[in-house]
Amino acid sequence: MLASHGHSSTRANKRTRESASAGPSSSSAGAALDAALPDLAASLALLTSLVEASPIPPIATVVKQLGSTLKRVDRTGDVDARDVQDELDEIGVKLWNLKGVFTGKKGNNTEHKLATALLKLVAFKLVALGSVLPLADESAASLLGLATNTSHAFLEANEPLRAEDVLAVGAQYLETITSDPPSSSFHADRALLNFYCARIKTSLRLGKLDVATWLRGKANEILRTGDVGAREAVARAASEAGSSLIPSSPGPTLGEEEEVGDARASSAVEWLLWSSEVLEGKEGVVSKSLQTSTLKNLYRAYLRLSPPSFSQAESCLTELLSLQPSLSNWKRLIGLLITRGAGDAEILEAFKNGSETLSLNPSNGPDLLGQVQRLSEDRRALRFSILDVLINALKSRVTVGSQDEEDDELGTGPQAFLAHIIMFTVFLVDVGDRQRFEDMLDRVPQDLKLTKAPAFTCVTYIWRQGDRMHAENKLSLATEWYLIGSHRVFSSIAELAAPKSFRKAVLCYVELGNHDEAEAIMARAPASNAKNLFVTFYLATLRKDEAQALKTLRALLVAPDFTLNMLLWAARTAQDSGIVSVLKEVLEGLLQLCINEPAPSLDLITLVRCVIRLVIKQVDVMDSLELAGSLRAHFEAALTVARTLSDSSSTTESIRKNVTWLHKTGSASFFSSMRLPTHSQPIGYNFCTRFSNRLEQKVVTDLYVSITSLMEFDCKLTRQPDLETLSRIYLCRLFQIAASLNSALEMSLQEEKSTAARQLLNKATELRGDISAALLEHPKLDRTKDIQEALGGIEVQLLSVLGDWSAASQLLDDLEESAQDRLPIHVIKSISALALAADNCPSDVLTSILERSLQLLYRFNKLDIVATASWLRLVIKTLLHRKLQKEALVYLQNACQLVKSHQTAYSRDEVEWRVISQDREGNTDLMKLVQVRLNLFYSNAPKLALEWCSLALEIAQVANLPVAAQLQSNVHNLARRFPASDDD
């Protein structure tokens, strides 16, 4: 209803609330309005239905209908509506009461505010049309109040021009109120003051400061007549007016802008002082919020004057603090004191007083820190005194067990405030402030520690301060700053902060060359932490402490928080240290880690190469077994990596290059520190061939297996294999068979030995076949003859173990067939020697072997006289031992022929052996020969006996032996005594 606006007319006083609510629903009233003003009636009906609808239609539709209705209402003013004034008044009252339907609606807030203002305007004009003329003073005051209220609605909708239009309409009622003394001057004065306040606001919004000032005088005239109820409203309007006039930018401006800004600030001061004056005349309770807001604005206005009026502004703040001693007000006073250059004592006292408010709400404490930052650089001591004041203020808040971690996570507790202080201090400190900062931390109450979140933030800023010192090469200061990170205040994150602080400090000490201090600090860090272990490892490498470095490295590799990057840094550190054993173990660990968990960013094959280099570099210091085992493991790892890479990559050339390097000689420059000649740098195959004599047979065999696999994979990666690599593959396979043969020969059980020999013979046969096939494709393949000859010797030994002498005899035929221009003499002699020494070689097979051997020797003219003589002696003695005198005589004849043909080359010792050399019992070989001949004579083989004697005599005569004459006499006597028959 309109009772709140003082609306009363003769008809309005007669209406009850119910009739007002019913409005034009009466059939007679509705009929009268329809008859007199049908267009307006229809428009009002439609508007009412829209406003009362639930839900309300789109606001744009309502605003459009309000505009249409307003136009019809304005046209109604030109029509005689006396017959329907009651109906218009009732509709106006009803619409006014519906003004709150748009409040709080979602959507465009400005449109809703505009709809409310338009609805009020329609209602106001309908009530005005329904008023009886001439207006009574109370009616005029009521209508003035409606106009004032409607203007406020348009101002809220940001429509100051419409507000001014509404106030212009309301101004026509001023004459009625002011011409005749109203029956209720209080009601009229309040309406007039509200009207003037509305016009003041509107004028200021439109930039009409002169009009607003004139209206201020009109309002002041009314206020001087006595106490009125609208005094606080006037004061509020004046305060708002003054606030709107304060220039937004403090400080001096240029030219005209400076004058305009100063003028506005002066006007703002006038309005705000008038607001305070109005409030002082008010009896009863005065709005404290209005008083404080006015004082705050007045303080701002004084500071915007040119020059600023610091004393007046300070007086405002003093009065404000008496009303509202809040931290924000103390902040204003402190800021003002700093701006006007107050002394240290005055500023510190203000901070102390302001810090007392922290006991109520410590979360506001950081606001004070902004003022500390404004202090000039030459007042650094004052800064730390203020920070001490703020820390002391926390003591009244903190008791044992009183910390609420949840509050501090939200930034509302004392720990959060302490975090702000520490971070703020870190930002402000300079080179000479570190000790002050540490002393300040020491003054923090023992029971107060930061929770994890603020502690981490603070320590991070402290580390950054240390980093800045480090970047400026102030290493000692950097170390001190880093160590602050381990202070007890940050104990909530001690497991993280303290070790990292120690590590950072240690690295600074290392740069300073102070290793003793670095070790002392590192001793305070947990030993199980991987990062701490790495730093300890680093220190050990700097001291060249190999044992400590290896011990720490092994602990690092099993640490739970160990990472790949740590091992990469360890590799770099070990390389810089020059300790080969440490670097080798680092790279071995890195390789194993990457094989288990591949790291795409690492070139694993190159890593393997580095490891193998380091292993080889220790050839003279490592245990042979350990060295070879390590090498074999790395070669196998390299092969695994290479196969994996070749399966996942279409580019095999780079892989092949690395594989080739692994089984060939590596870079000479890397091994410049080795005692081996540069050309003897042993990698892969070269290591096996050059150092196999240092290693156990089984170990070298395993190495050859690994190298062979690498070379075979190398050949697989290319369509045209390298002939040298292919030749080396066959050599490695040959060595494997030879080494395995030695192992087989050492077996004690014949069955095991035979099984092993059969397996090796199959491998040898396979190797011979592979070589033959390779020669068809690559006739110039190097070393194949040597390999085949050596393979033949191995096959002979294997056949002897198996007792397969027929196959051994057949081997001679195979050798003759494949010999061409080169005969493997040692293989032929080996076959003969093994056959002669074997008890299980049949005589016919033995004879065949010996004959074929001698034939081959003569055929290829491979008669080394000395070697052949020795070989013939062995054959003759063995045949005689087997009682094969006739077979032995054949080789004695060959020996005689050799003596005749090569008298100068044939060894005299060998000749004498045939005749006069003594055995261990003192018997001469001549006596043995004589005994053989006697046996032959006695066995009825005088012809054979004579041949033996004749050959012996012939040899003695050719060699000019002293016994030739005696031998001739003995042969003559024996021949007479045992004449030979033709059948002999």
Side-chain angles (χ1 to χ4, degrees):
M1 297 297 290
L2 297 181
S4 61
H5 302 289
H7 175 63
S8 61
S9 64
T10 305
R11 293 187 304 276
N13 289 333
K14 294 178 180 180
R15 289 196 302 271
T16 63
R17 183 178 300 272
E18 290 75 19
S19 65
S21 299
S25 62
S26 169
S27 58
S28 58
L33 184 61
D34 290 341
L37 302 168
D39 292 342
L40 177 60
S43 182
L44 287 172
L46 177 58
L47 176 61
T48 304
S49 65
L50 289 175
V51 175
E52 291 182 331
S54 180
I56 296 176
I59 196 65
T61 302
V62 178
V63 170
K64 183 178 179 181
Q65 182 59 36
L66 282 167
S68 176
T69 303
L70 190 58
K71 290 178 182 179
R72 296 186 185 280
V73 171
D74 289 339
R75 287 198 296 269
T76 302
D78 300 329
V79 180
D80 187 358
R82 285 177 293 179
D83 295 336
V84 290
Q85 283 181 318
D86 286 344
E87 288 80 356
L88 292 175
D89 181 73
E90 289 180 1
I91 295 173
V93 171
K94 180 174 182 178
L95 291 177
W96 186 272
N97 289 337
L98 291 173
K99 62 184 180 297
V101 296
F102 306 117
T103 304
K105 300 296 182 184
K106 294 181 180 179
N108 189 324
N109 194 40
T110 302
E111 287 189 349
H112 285 85
K113 289 179 178 179
L114 179 59
T116 300
L118 290 173
L119 184 61
K120 286 185 175 181
L121 182 57
V122 170
F124 160 59
K125 289 191 174 184
L126 288 174
V127 172
L129 287 173
S131 300
V132 177
L133 300 176
L135 291 173
D137 54 353
E138 290 188 2
S139 296
S142 180
L143 290 171
L144 186 62
L146 293 178
T148 300
N149 192 295
T150 303
S151 71
H152 284 301
F154 278 114
L155 286 177
E156 289 183 6
N158 200 26
E159 294 281 350
L161 289 174
R162 285 194 173 187
E164 188 178 42
D165 292 341
V166 173
L167 291 171
V169 173
Q172 63 183 322
Y173 306 118
L174 288 177
E175 187 178 351
T176 302
I177 298 175
T178 57
S179 60
D180 298 321
S183 57
S184 176
S185 61
F186 178 81
H187 179 77
D189 288 345
R190 186 172 62 181
L192 288 171
L193 287 173
N194 286 333
F195 176 75
Y196 287 140
C197 289
R199 286 199 64 187
I200 288 172
K201 290 181 181 180
T202 304
S203 298
L204 290 174
R205 289 281 290 275
L206 294 172
K208 299 177 180 180
L209 180 58
D210 293 340
V211 175
T213 304
W214 177 79
L215 291 167
R216 185 179 70 196
K218 298 291 290 182
N220 213 24
E221 291 177 3
I222 298 175
L223 290 172
R224 280 198 291 266
T225 61
D227 189 20
V228 292
R231 183 176 289 273
E232 188 167 315
V234 174
R236 189 177 302 281
S239 181
E240 292 174 359
S243 176
S244 68
L245 289 169
I246 300 174
S248 57
S249 299
T253 54
L254 299 176
E256 263 180 51
E257 293 182 2
E258 181 179 359
E259 296 179 3
V260 172
D262 187 53
R264 288 178 60 85
S266 298
S267 298
V269 170
E270 293 177 7
W271 282 92
L272 292 167
L273 288 175
W274 183 55
S275 175
S276 299
E277 182 183 337
V278 171
L279 279 178
E280 288 175 359
K282 184 178 184 298
E283 295 180 357
V285 180
V286 178
S287 171
K288 186 176 180 181
S289 62
L290 179 57
Q291 285 181 297
T292 56
S293 64
T294 301
L295 288 170
K296 289 176 185 178
N297 288 325
L298 188 57
Y299 150 79
R300 291 174 53 225
Y302 279 129
L303 293 181
R304 298 301 189 270
L305 292 174
S306 181
S309 181
F310 292 123
S311 59
Q312 296 295 335
E314 189 172 345
S315 298
C316 290
L317 289 176
T318 302
E319 185 177 353
L320 178 61
L321 285 168
S322 66
L323 294 172
Q324 188 184 56
S326 65
L327 183 62
S328 59
N329 290 332
W330 281 110
K331 175 186 170 183
R332 291 185 177 94
L333 178 59
I334 292 170
L336 178 61
L337 294 174
I338 294 174
T339 302
R340 73 172 176 82
D344 290 0
E346 194 174 357
I347 294 174
L348 187 61
E349 183 64 25
F351 268 105
K352 288 181 179 179
N353 294 330
S355 67
E356 293 178 359
T357 61
L358 293 176
S359 60
L360 300 176
N361 191 356
S363 63
N364 291 331
D367 292 338
L368 290 174
L369 296 175
Q371 299 299 333
V372 179
Q373 192 171 9
R374 294 180 55 197
L375 291 168
S376 59
E377 286 295 318
D378 59 349
R379 308 181 84 171
R380 305 187 68 80
L382 175 59
R383 287 180 177 179
F384 279 94
S385 296
I386 293 171
L387 294 174
D388 285 339
V389 166
L390 298 179
I391 289 179
N392 290 334
L394 292 177
K395 294 182 179 180
S396 61
R397 287 278 298 174
V398 180
T399 57
V400 177
S402 67
Q403 298 186 68
D404 190 335
E405 186 166 340
E406 182 177 355
D407 284 347
D408 273 277
E409 294 295 336
L410 298 175
T412 58
Q415 296 91 335
F417 180 33
L418 178 62
H420 283 294
I421 293 176
I422 295 173
M423 285 187 289
F424 174 81
T425 308
V426 169
F427 283 127
L428 289 184
V429 291
D430 202 350
V431 176
D433 294 332
R434 187 209 56 81
Q435 189 60 52
R436 287 174 176 171
F437 177 56
E438 193 166 1
D439 292 343
M440 184 189 74
L441 292 181
D442 291 339
R443 284 192 288 273
V444 173
Q446 290 286 340
D447 298 325
L448 180 60
K449 69 177 181 179
L450 299 184
T451 53
K452 292 183 178 180
F456 180 79
T457 303
C458 291
V459 171
T460 299
Y461 281 112
I462 290 172
W463 287 337
R464 288 180 183 176
Q465 184 70 11
D467 293 341
R468 184 171 71 87
M469 297 293 112
H470 183 272
E472 295 175 2
N473 203 32
K474 299 173 182 176
L475 299 179
S476 296
L477 282 174
T479 300
E480 295 170 352
W481 273 106
Y482 287 140
L483 291 177
I484 293 177
S486 62
H487 196 277
R488 60 173 172 81
V489 171
F490 313 117
S491 59
S492 61
I493 57 168
E495 292 183 1
L496 167 68
K500 186 171 183 178
S501 299
F502 293 148
R503 291 193 297 270
K504 284 177 170 287
V506 164
L507 295 178
C508 285
Y509 276 123
V510 168
E511 289 188 61
L512 289 168
N514 191 344
H515 294 177
D516 293 339
E517 190 65 31
E519 289 181 359
I521 292 177
M522 208 59 227
R524 297 161 57 188
S528 60
N529 183 286
K531 292 180 180 179
N532 295 345
L533 287 168
F534 171 78
V535 175
T536 304
F537 167 80
Y538 176 53
L539 291 173
T541 60
L542 291 177
R543 298 192 315 274
K544 307 296 183 181
D545 188 343
E546 180 178 355
Q548 180 63 34
L550 289 173
K551 177 183 177 181
T552 308
L553 174 62
R554 289 159 189 164
L556 173 65
L557 291 173
V558 297
D561 52 341
F562 163 75
T563 64
L564 173 63
N565 284 336
M566 292 182 193
L567 204 50
L568 292 174
W569 279 107
R572 176 62 181 274
T573 300
Q575 184 177 14
D576 292 343
S577 72
I579 308 176
V580 177
S581 60
V582 175
L583 179 57
K584 178 184 76 70
E585 192 154 335
V586 171
L587 294 182
E588 286 175 344
L590 183 60
L591 177 60
Q592 187 60 46
L593 179 67
C594 292
I595 290 176
N596 296 335
E597 300 179 11
S601 60
L602 289 180
D603 186 351
L604 293 184
I605 198 75
T606 301
L607 179 59
V608 178
R609 287 175 53 174
C610 293
V611 175
I612 292 175
R613 280 180 177 140
L614 293 172
V615 173
I616 297 296
K617 195 171 183 180
Q618 294 184 288
V619 67
D620 291 327
V621 296
M622 284 183 66
D623 174 74
S624 298
L625 188 61
E626 180 186 0
L627 173 65
S630 179
L631 270 180
R632 181 190 177 192
H634 296 321
F635 283 135
E636 291 176 351
L639 182 60
T640 300
V641 171
R643 284 173 174 167
T644 302
L645 292 176
S646 67
D647 293 339
S648 60
S649 174
S650 58
T651 304
T652 59
E653 185 59 29
S654 62
I655 300 174
R656 183 173 177 268
K657 286 180 180 179
N658 283 290
V659 172
T660 301
W661 182 92
L662 285 168
H663 63 75
K664 287 188 176 181
T665 300
S667 170
S669 62
F670 188 88
F671 297 97
S672 58
S673 62
M674 295 182 65
R675 287 173 292 199
L676 297 171
T678 301
H679 65 275
S680 300
Q681 315 294 322
I683 299 293
Y685 174 82
N686 289 349
F687 175 84
C688 291
T689 56
R690 296 180 185 180
F691 295 94
S692 58
N693 61 331
R694 301 188 184 185
L695 307 173
E696 296 179 10
Q697 182 173 283
K698 176 64 170 60
V699 174
V700 179
T701 303
D702 292 339
L703 270 176
Y704 270 117
V705 171
S706 300
I707 296 300
T708 303
S709 299
L710 279 171
M711 291 189 290
E712 288 174 342
F713 184 71
D714 185 359
C715 294
K716 181 181 177 182
L717 292 175
T718 178
R719 295 181 179 179
Q720 189 64 32
D722 177 59
L723 295 184
E724 182 183 2
T725 300
L726 197 59
S727 176
R728 287 181 171 183
I729 290 175
Y730 298 143
L731 283 171
C732 287
R733 290 174 62 182
L734 174 65
F735 180 86
Q736 295 170 39
I737 295 173
S740 299
L741 171 62
N742 293 332
S743 299
L745 293 176
E746 294 173 358
M747 294 179 180
S748 57
L749 297 178
Q750 182 60 37
E751 183 177 355
E752 292 180 356
K753 185 183 297 185
S754 298
T755 301
R758 180 63 60 189
Q759 293 174 350
L760 290 175
L761 188 61
N762 292 336
K763 291 183 178 180
T765 303
E766 181 184 1
L767 176 57
R768 186 177 292 278
D770 290 345
I771 293 174
S772 299
L775 285 171
L776 294 176
E777 187 175 354
H778 310 288
K780 296 183 179 181
L781 187 61
D782 191 25
R783 301 183 185 176
T784 53
K785 293 297 182 182
D786 295 334
I787 297 173
Q788 287 177 322
E789 289 180 11
L791 192 60
I794 292 173
E795 288 173 323
V796 169
Q797 292 191 64
L798 291 172
L799 290 172
S800 69
V801 172
L802 294 171
D804 192 351
W805 295 108
S806 297
S809 178
Q810 180 61 41
L811 183 60
L812 287 173
D813 295 335
D814 296 339
L815 290 173
E816 179 182 8
E817 182 179 346
S818 61
Q820 297 179 3
D821 61 341
R822 176 172 173 173
L823 184 68
I825 298 175
H826 70 281
V827 178
I828 294 172
K829 292 183 177 180
S830 177
I831 294 175
S832 301
L834 289 172
L836 288 169
D839 295 334
N840 60 351
C841 181
S843 297
D844 57 337
V845 177
L846 174 61
T847 302
S848 175
I849 290 174
L850 294 176
E851 288 178 356
R852 296 291 296 126
S853 299
L854 190 58
Q855 289 173 6
L856 289 172
L857 291 175
Y858 279 117
R859 175 182 171 185
F860 287 93
N861 195 22
K862 296 297 182 180
L863 295 174
D864 177 276
I865 302 303
V866 176
T868 303
S870 299
W871 179 73
L872 286 172
R873 181 176 64 170
L874 173 65
V875 171
I876 292 169
K877 290 182 68 174
T878 304
L879 291 175
L880 289 175
H881 178 71
R882 286 190 169 203
K883 301 185 183 304
L884 298 174
Q885 293 89 346
K886 185 181 292 187
E887 289 79 0
L889 183 61
V890 174
Y891 293 97
L892 186 61
Q893 291 170 347
N894 279 275
C896 183
Q897 186 64 34
L898 282 174
V899 172
K900 291 179 179 180
S901 302
H902 307 280
Q903 292 186 39
T904 58
Y906 204 97
S907 172
R908 185 175 181 85
D909 292 340
E910 293 296 332
V911 175
E912 292 180 348
W913 174 85
R914 301 288 184 274
V915 183
I916 62 173
S917 61
Q918 291 184 330
D919 59 18
R920 293 180 181 178
E921 289 78 20
N923 298 319
T924 66
D925 285 297
L926 175 61
M927 296 305 297
K928 291 181 181 179
L929 292 176
V930 172
Q931 184 63 43
V932 171
R933 290 191 293 277
L934 289 174
N935 291 339
L936 290 174
F937 281 117
Y938 288 129
S939 61
N940 297 320
K943 185 177 180 180
L944 181 60
L946 185 59
E947 290 179 7
W948 271 98
C949 293
S950 298
L951 283 174
L953 176 59
E954 189 175 355
I955 293 172
Q957 290 173 343
V958 170
N960 294 318
L961 297 179
V963 296
Q966 182 183 355
L967 184 59
Q968 184 177 14
S969 176
N970 291 338
V971 169
H972 179 72
N973 293 332
L974 289 171
R976 282 188 315 167
R977 188 176 177 184
F978 301 99
S981 64
D982 294 335
D983 297 332
D984 188 13

